[in-house]
Amino acid sequence: DSHVLLLLWRVVYHRQKARKEAGHSRDLEPTTLHLVCHYLLPASSLVTRDTALAEVIWNVLVRVSTIQRFTIYTKWEDAYQNFMLKATYARVKHNTKQVLKRVVAASDRH
């Protein structure tokens, strides 16, 4: 359920915010990082068109260090070895190509 997923991301966001206010590192704790990389991001990849979810995810990712963010991105990309995520990735890639073809074709006409 995307609503539950959104709530879980908000918990991560508020935990991260509280840690920063307490003077701790802005990076995610190891257990939270594991939760994000192995469960929340792969599950979020299966949700379509949820701007609230995208905003909360970005609000979490923008606050971590660049090194940790790219670590998260790498683990997220590796998660696409899972069959459902492979299928979703292929669908998104196909849809993106279709949109880009229309955009290029429209710009060529002008």
Side-chain angles (χ1 to χ4, degrees), residues 46-106:
L46 300 173
V47 175
T48 57
R49 296 183 188 116
D50 190 333
T51 55
L53 179 61
E55 182 179 352
V56 173
I57 292 169
W58 177 245
N59 285 333
V60 169
L61 295 178
V62 76
R63 285 173 173 75
V64 299
S65 67
T66 305
I67 292 171
Q68 191 173 58
R69 188 175 325 137
F70 280 95
T71 299
I72 292 169
Y73 292 158
T74 300
K75 290 183 180 190
W76 190 6
E77 191 172 321
D78 292 344
Y80 278 103
Q81 300 310 313
N82 175 301
F83 174 75
M84 284 200 59
L85 291 179
K86 271 187 177 179
T88 301
Y89 178 75
R91 180 177 40 89
V92 168
K93 188 174 178 181
H94 173 75
N95 290 345
T96 303
K97 284 183 180 181
Q98 295 304 313
V99 168
L100 289 174
K101 283 180 185 178
R102 288 194 301 265
V103 169
V104 170

